[in-house]
Amino acid sequence: MELLITALIVGFVIYGLERNKPREVIHPHLHGSTDIQDRDQERTTTDLLSRA
C-alpha cells in the first residue's frame, strides 16, 4: 500500500512539473504583418539625435 501511495505522489509531482514547464517557441517572431511603424524606436532615435 505504501508503494502505491509513493508511486501516486511521484506521478503527481512529475505531472505538475511537466505541466508548468514553459513551451518551446518554434517561431520566435510574431505572426502577422510587419509593415507597422515602430513609434517607440522613432521617438528614441529623435530624442538621442536632439541631445547630441
Side-chain angles (χ1 to χ4, degrees):
M1 187 68 179
E2 292 178 19
L3 182 63
L4 178 64
I5 293 173
T6 305
L8 283 173
I9 291 173
V10 169
F12 284 134
V13 168
I14 291 173
Y15 172 74
L17 290 175
E18 285 294 320
R19 187 170 179 223
N20 290 328
K21 184 173 68 170
R23 307 256 188 254
E24 289 185 28
V25 178
I26 297 172
H27 301 288
H29 304 293
L30 296 175
H31 296 288
S33 61
T34 58
D35 60 346
I36 299 172
Q37 191 175 22
D38 186 6
R39 292 184 292 178
D40 290 332
Q41 182 182 10
E42 187 177 316
R43 179 181 48 84
T44 305
T45 305
T46 56
D47 286 347
L48 291 174
L49 289 175
S50 66
R51 291 183 185 183

